[in-house]
Structure formats: structure tokens, C-alpha cells
């Protein structure tokens, strides 16, 4: 029926725990189009990170089907890229060497990768920092490096697990604007996990609102704010409406 | 009022500000240096104090020279021992034993640590036995090893190996296991296999803990060899200490202990220097 880039049908994930089975995801279905910016929003325990791991092929689903680009998908693949709440940079590698890591692991052309990684380091605003080590950089700068590394092997889908969740509010907002700029330039498909509703509205085309115990897809919100978006978007009355609607869907309005 | 004006106009603010900062920094540095010097003086002073107590206690008959020699006698004995014909061949024997024991102990600890960390089947098969073998103090094996491997170097090397193995094994295993789960996820998402994950993530990540193991093993290797030479040997520093003790040459024993300690310490510092180069990122 749906022919998106990623199609999930009745995806269910059950963990066996000491106190009995725990339903982390209960019958979740969705379709994601190529080039879309999707956010998964919900409180802790709603299964958003589990869903992201399943999308990344890192975790097995208990039931349901998942199709990526027309093929059944249940293992990591090089056209996906992952980014985490922590930068996960290797402290013994320079910034440049960290960004080159995906290319090295995947055995990509060295010369092309060298050029591409320099471009990416420039693009995330870290020109001149290539020879530094992660230990010399601030938290925000490290996430910029992680963003460059995410793009190094030119993946088709970016899976981002609360990538700015550990940053302070100001740095996070700057990173949001940067991410949009990069996304608009590259046209990647993004699945972005966050528990920050404002962040989700600001960034996304559509927001998957998820509720916990068991993890369910409560609803999907289409964000009709114009693109390209700048900070101005936050003054749009529709911005506040979306934030309010999502709050209500999550049951935090009473 | 006019004074404020005069100040603002006559003195360019940045320059005054900068010189103030310079002065402040220079002052802070001076304080640091003074503190550093004081600490060194305290340490040196305490050392001199202990030496003085030692000297007074032994020279003026509070402690018999057969129990503790005077500092001067120890110093003289050091010269005598080091220029003796028998000294260097015995040093060579012990040095070889220590280095072989250290190297074999480290290598076996690393190899089995990697094996247990990387392969579930290896872990399931040998891990319980390795832990059980760790239970008895290794020193009790010394007499048995002398029986098994003889009076020569092999038995001392064996004891040093047994002493070194477990700490190195455990530190390797711990180092390879204590890794950020997200880093593992990242490597998996990049479709990195077992060995690429090992080479690019697990091994460098384990190096700090492994180097701590190397340092520990160094002192254990020396300990193992000397104990082995006490239990039964016909050459080596441990044998010399034992023999001199038997001949009541306490000053000679003291000088050997001091020389052995100095040697162990120097190599330990070399390992530390090497460590700070290998795991340079810890200082960033």
C-alpha cells in the first residue's frame, strides 16, 4: 500500500524481564518518505529509542514488518547513519580521524573521503580544528564533529537519538538551526528522537507522537510551518498551536 | 571628580588592564613556584630526618649493627658489592629472569584476556578456571616450581609468569569490556565486524587500564623472581641477599635491597613515561 522509503507495519517489541514481558512497542505502523524530516516525540519509556534502534537494524523486532527502499530490513547497513546523545568520539583520534572513521570502516575511497571529510568539517563550522583532539573541544563542538562523522559516508537516512539532548539550551538551539541548514542542503531523510516538543516542531515535517506503557504511536502531527525555517518560525502562531496539540496528545494538559 | 577624568583620559584602558593581568599571572606563578619548592624541601627534609634517626640509632648503640647497619656502612657495602667480581653475573641472571617472566606473563595475560573478551565460547570454557586459579596466593607455588623446573632460571621465570599473568589478564579483560555502549552501537551501525571493532575501538579504549596492569606486573615480576631465588637458587640477587643474610653481612643485604629498589623504580618510571606517550589523550 504505502510506498515510502521506510515502511513499518505492526512493529512490536517485547522484552523478557524478571517481572514478566515488557511491551516496549505495541503495533506501530508508519511510512516515511524520502527526504522527510521526522521526529519521534514522547516521554521516557515510550519506545522511541527502541524504534530508532530497530530502524537502524541494531535491534530485532518481535513482530511486524519493516521495509527500507523496497527490501526487508533487519540488520545494520551502510546507507544508514547513527548519531547519539553523547558525541561518541574516540579520544585517541583527532577530529579529522574521527570524521574519517566511517569511511575507513566501510573501506571507501581514501582520496574522496579525505576531501569530503574536510568539506564536512568546514560545513559544521570547525575549519582549522581538524588536528585537535576531542578532549580539547567543548560539548557543542563535539556534537558538531559527530554531525560531520554522521554524514561522512553519505548515508541516505540519518537516525539521530536525542543528539542535542545533553547540550545547554542556547547551544541546542544553535545546533537545531545548523542541522536544518545542513538538512536542506543535503536532502537526507532524518528520523530524530527527542523529548523536547519545541525542538521537534521547529525541525520536523511530521512528528510521531508516542505514549508509554505500552509504547504506542498515539498520532502523527503534520507541521505546516514554511521552509526554509529560521528562528522566526518560533514566533508563528502555528508553532505554539502544534506544541500545545502535542502536549495534549501526550496527556500533559491537565 | 577631576581625578577620575584624569585617569580615564591619560591612561589608555586596555594597556593598564593588560599589565594588571600580566602582573596577576606573574604573581600566581611565583606563588605556585614557591609552593612547589616548599613541598620539595619538605620531602627532602623528611628524608634527611629519617637518615639522621637511622644514623643516630645505629652509631650510638641504640640498635645493634647486626640488626641494622649504619648508613655509612651501608654506603660502603654498596661500593664493595658493586665492585665485587660476583655481582654483575648475578645481576645478569636475575635481570634475565625478571624480563622473561615479565614478558611472558604480560603476553599470556593479554592473549587470554583478548580471547575471553572477544569469544563467548572461550570465556565459557576457561574463565571459571582462571578465576579459581587466582584464589591461592601465587607464592605458595614457589617450592613446587623449584621441584618442577629445577634450581636454574626456568623456575624463577615460571613464578614471575604466574604472578604477572592474572593482573594482566584481568586488566585486559576489564579494559576491553568497559566501553561506551553507544560506541559499540556506532561500530555496529557502520557494519564493523569483530576485528575492526577490536582494532578501532576496543583495543585503544582498553589501553589505559592495560597500562595500569603493566605497571602492576612489573613490580610483581621482580617480587616473583626474588622470592623464587630465596626458595632455591644458585645465582641471582635474591640468592645473594639470602647468602649474605646467612653470613650476617647485614650491610651487604641492605645495599642489595637498595640497589634492587632503585632498579625497580627506574624501570617503573620508564614504563610510566611510555604510558603517558601511549595514552596521550588522557592528558588532554
Amino acid at each position: 500500500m504505502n510506498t515510502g522509503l521506510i515502511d513499518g507495519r505492526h512493529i512490536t517489541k517485547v522484552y523478557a524481564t524478571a517481572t514478566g514481558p515488557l511491551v516496549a512497542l505495541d503495533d506501530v505502523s508508519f511510512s516515511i518518505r524520502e527526504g522527510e524530516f521526522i521526529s519521534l516525540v514522547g516521554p521516557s519509556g515510550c519506545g522511541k529509542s527502541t524504534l530508532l534502534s530497530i530502524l537502524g537494524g541494531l535491534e530485532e523486532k518481535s513482530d511486524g514488518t519493516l521495509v527500507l527502499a523496497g527490501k526487508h530490513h533487519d540488520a545494520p547497513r551502510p546507507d544508514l547513519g547513527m548519531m547519539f546523545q553523547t558525541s561518541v568520539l574516540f579520544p585517541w583520534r583527532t577530529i579529522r580521524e574521527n570524521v574519517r572513521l566511517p569511511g575507513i570502516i566501510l573501506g571507501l575511497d581514501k582520496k574522496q573521503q579525505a576531501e569530503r571529510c574536510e568539506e564536512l568539517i568546514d560545513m559544521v563550522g570547525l575549519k582549522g580544528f581538524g588536528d585537535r583532539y576531542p578532549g580539547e573541544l567543548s560539548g557543542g563542538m563535539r556534537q558538531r564533529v559527530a554531525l560531520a562523522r554522521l554524514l561522512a559516508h553519505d548515508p541516505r537516512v540519518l537516525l539521530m537519538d536525542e543528539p542535542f539532548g545533553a547540550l545547554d539550551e542556547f547551544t541546542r538551539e544553535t545546533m537545531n538551526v545548523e542541522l536544518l541548514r545542513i538538512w536542506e542542503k543535503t536532502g537526507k531523510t532524518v528520523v530524530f528522537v527527542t523529548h523536547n516538543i519545541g525542538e521537534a516542531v521547529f525541525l520536523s515535517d511530521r512528528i510521531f507522537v508516542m505514549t508509554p506503557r505500552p509504547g504506542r504511536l498515539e498520532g502523527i502531527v503534520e507541521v505546516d510551518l514554511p521552509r526554509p525555517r529560521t528562528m522566526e518560525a518560533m514566533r508563528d502562531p502555528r508553532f505554539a498551536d502544534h506544541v500545545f496539540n502535542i502536549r495534549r496528545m501526550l496527556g500533559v494538559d491537565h | 571628580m577631576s581625578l577620575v577624568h584624569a585617569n580615564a583620559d591619560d591612561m589608555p584602558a586596555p594597556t593598564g588592564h593588560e599589565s594588571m593581568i600580566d602582573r596577576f599571572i606573574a604573581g600566581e606563578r611565583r606563588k605556585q613556584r614557591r609552593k612547589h619548592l616548599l613541598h620539595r624541601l619538605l620531602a627532602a627534609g623528611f628524608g634527611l630526618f629519617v637518615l639522621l634517626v637511622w644514623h643516630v640509632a645505629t652509631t650510638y648503640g641504640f640498635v645493634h649493627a647486626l640488626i641494622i647497619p649504619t648508613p655509612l656502612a651501608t654506603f660502603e657495602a654498596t661500593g664493595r658489592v658493586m665492585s665485587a667480581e660476583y655481582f654483575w653475573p648475578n645481576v645478569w641472571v636475575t635481570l634475565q629472569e625478571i624480563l622473561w617472566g615479565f614478558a611472558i606473563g604480560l603476553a599470556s595475560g593479554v592473549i587470554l584476556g583478548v580471547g575471553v573478551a572477544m569469544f563467548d565460547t572461550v570465556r565459557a570454557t576457561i574463565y571459571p578456571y582462571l578465576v579459581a586459579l587466582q584464589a591461592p596466593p601465587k607464592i605458595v607455588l614457589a617450592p613446587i616450581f623449584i621441584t618442577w623446573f629445577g634450581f636454574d632460571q626456568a623456575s624463577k621465570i615460571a613464578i614471575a609468569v604466574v604472578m604477572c599473568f592474572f593482573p594482566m589478564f584481568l586488566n585486559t579483560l576489564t579494559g576491553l569490556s568497559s566501553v561506551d555502549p553507544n560506541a559499540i552501537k556506532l561500530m555496529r551501525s557502520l557494519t564493523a565486524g569483530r576485528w575492526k571493532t577490536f582494532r578501532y575501538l576496543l583495543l585503544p579504549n582498553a589501553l589505559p587500564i592495560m597500562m595500569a596492569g603493566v605497571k602492576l606486573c612489573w613490580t610483581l615480576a621482580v617480587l616473583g623472581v626474588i622470592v623464587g631465588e630465596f626458595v632455591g637458587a644458585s645465582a641471582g640477587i635474591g640468592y645473594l641477599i639470602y647468602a649474605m643474610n646467612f653470613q650476617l653481612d647485614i650491610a651487604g643485604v641492605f645495599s642489595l635491597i637498595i640497589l634492587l629498589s632503585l632498579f625497580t623504580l627506574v624501570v617503573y618510571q620508564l614504563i610510566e613515561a611510555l604510558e603517558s606517550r601511549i595514552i596521550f589523550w588522557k592528558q588532554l
Side-chain angles (χ1 to χ4, degrees), chain A residues 10-146:
Chain A
H10 312 296
I11 291 178
T12 299
K13 175 72 186 179
V14 183
Y15 291 105
T17 68
T19 51
L22 177 88
V23 183
L25 284 174
D26 185 17
D27 194 16
V28 173
S29 296
F30 56 86
S31 178
I32 297 170
R33 291 185 294 275
E34 175 115 50
E36 247 189 322
F37 199 121
I38 300 288
S39 284
L40 310 182
V41 174
S44 305
C46 71
K48 55 191 194 293
S49 287
T50 305
L51 181 56
L52 199 76
S53 283
I54 291 173
L55 287 176
L58 296 177
E59 246 184 282
E60 278 179 56
K61 52 197 179 306
S62 311
D63 201 8
T65 56
L66 181 62
V67 175
L68 196 159
K71 281 186 190 148
H72 276 278
H73 169 48
D74 57 2
R77 32 189 286 178
D79 53 352
L80 304 176
M82 291 208 82
M83 183 168 167
F84 307 92
Q85 187 168 16
T86 52
S87 58
V88 203
L89 300 178
F90 296 175
W92 51 87
R93 296 177 81 88
T94 62
I95 299 315
R96 178 174 294 113
E97 288 166 346
N98 268 289
V99 177
R100 302 268 317 254
L101 185 76
I104 291 170
I105 303 277
L106 293 167
L108 303 181
D109 183 83
K110 284 203 180 90
K111 227 179 127 194
Q112 269 177 14
Q113 274 290 302
E115 265 175 50
R116 179 171 173 79
C117 291
E118 286 317 304
E119 282 170 23
L120 287 170
I121 291 170
D122 290 358
M123 187 169 81
V124 297
L126 289 177
K127 199 181 178 75
F129 283 90
D131 292 321
R132 299 291 193 90
Y133 285 90
E136 300 173 290
L137 268 55
S138 70
M141 287 163 98
R142 277 185 235 166
Q143 281 311 79
R144 284 168 188 271
V145 180

Side-chain angles (χ1 to χ4, degrees), chain A residues 49 52-53 56 58 81-90 139 142-144 146-147 149-150 159-167 192-193, chain B residues 180-190:
Chain A
S49 287
L52 199 76
S53 283
L58 296 177
M82 291 208 82
M83 183 168 167
F84 307 92
Q85 187 168 16
T86 52
S87 58
V88 203
L89 300 178
F90 296 175
R142 277 185 235 166
Q143 281 311 79
R144 284 168 188 271
L147 193 56
R149 183 187 56 196
L150 171 70
L159 304 172
M160 309 177 79
D161 195 357
E162 298 190 37
F164 311 133
L167 302 178
F192 188 98
V193 168
Chain B
D180 178 2
N182 278 342
I184 297 279
K185 268 192 171 183
L186 175 74
M187 294 304 275
R188 282 185 60 211
S189 78
L190 291 169

Side-chain angles (χ1 to χ4, degrees), chain B:
Chain B
M1 263 319 225
S2 63
L3 203 71
V4 174
H5 270 279
N7 267 341
D9 290 338
D10 298 346
M11 248 210 282
T15 322
H17 194 62
E18 271 164 30
S19 76
M20 192 271 282
I21 291 173
D22 285 346
R23 256 180 291 137
F24 176 74
I25 289 172
E28 286 297 299
R29 287 218 180 107
R30 238 187 339 265
K31 264 189 230 164
Q32 279 295 323
R33 266 201 303 273
R34 236 178 267 151
K35 202 168 155 188
H36 197 67
L37 189 68
L38 180 72
H39 287 180
R40 296 209 150 190
L41 283 174
L42 279 173
F46 184 68
L48 281 174
F49 173 72
V50 171
L51 209 60
L52 187 73
V53 170
W54 178 13
H55 175 74
V56 170
T58 48
T59 312
Y60 299 99
F62 296 105
V63 183
H64 197 279
L66 270 182
I67 296 171
I68 299 179
T70 63
L72 200 63
T74 307
F75 185 72
E76 280 168 0
T78 308
R80 167 166 57 84
V81 165
M82 284 183 73
S83 55
E85 209 178 296
Y86 58 77
F87 180 69
W88 293 107
N90 279 296
V91 167
W92 181 231
V93 167
T94 299
L95 184 66
Q96 279 182 315
E97 290 164 353
I98 292 173
L99 292 180
W100 277 111
F102 181 56
I104 298 171
L106 286 192
S108 54
V110 169
I111 290 169
L112 280 173
V114 170
V116 168
M118 299 297 287
F119 300 99
D120 279 348
T121 45
V122 176
R123 179 187 289 259
T125 313
I126 64 171
Y127 189 59
Y129 297 103
L130 290 176
V131 174
L133 282 175
Q134 170 58 11
K138 255 68 58 203
I139 295 293
V140 301
L141 295 171
I144 303 170
F145 278 17
I146 305 286
T147 315
W148 288 353
F149 302 109
F151 259 53
D152 292 335
Q153 288 178 302
S155 54
K156 285 70 184 179
I157 293 171
I159 295 164
V161 168
V162 168
M163 300 273 290
C164 286
F165 165 76
F166 201 79
M168 200 56 221
F169 165 74
L170 206 61
N171 278 46
T172 305
L173 182 57
T174 309
L176 291 172
S177 314
S178 37
V179 55
D180 178 2
N182 278 342
I184 297 279
K185 268 192 171 183
L186 175 74
M187 294 304 275
R188 282 185 60 211
S189 78
L190 291 169
T191 67
R194 196 196 293 275
W195 291 111
K196 276 186 178 166
T197 305
F198 177 77
R199 182 180 158 196
Y200 291 105
L201 171 62
L202 298 180
L203 182 64
N205 184 64
L207 284 176
I209 298 179
M210 287 173 73
M211 282 311 293
V214 171
K215 288 194 285 186
L216 183 60
C217 286
W218 170 249
T219 52
L220 288 175
V222 175
L223 177 69
V225 163
I226 298 297
V227 167
E229 289 178 347
F230 283 170
V231 174
S234 47
I237 298 300
Y239 165 77
L240 282 187
I241 291 174
Y242 191 78
M244 285 179 176
N245 203 42
F246 197 67
Q247 296 160 5
L248 296 181
D249 182 3
I250 305 301
V253 171
F254 263 59
S255 67
L256 283 176
I257 291 172
I258 289 169
L259 289 172
L260 186 65
S261 309
L262 281 177
F263 165 69
T264 310
L265 197 68
V266 166
V267 176
Y268 191 88
Q269 304 239 315
L270 284 177
I271 298 174
E272 277 200 328
L274 189 70
E275 178 188 32
S276 65
R277 291 193 144 222
I278 294 176
I279 51 176
F280 63 92
W281 66 90
K282 285 279 158 189
Q283 283 123 42
L284 294 178

Side-chain angles (χ1 to χ4, degrees), chain A residues 195-233:
Chain A
H195 52 239
N196 186 319
I197 299 171
E199 182 177 45
V201 173
F202 178 65
L203 294 171
S204 314
D205 294 320
R206 287 191 298 152
I207 300 168
F208 294 3
V209 182
M210 300 181 70
T211 50
R213 282 173 292 274
R216 278 211 179 98
L217 184 51
E218 185 71 26
I220 296 178
V221 173
E222 297 253 1
V223 183
D224 51 0
L225 295 167
R227 303 261 189 199
R229 283 179 206 160
T230 59
M231 276 302 185
E232 281 294 306

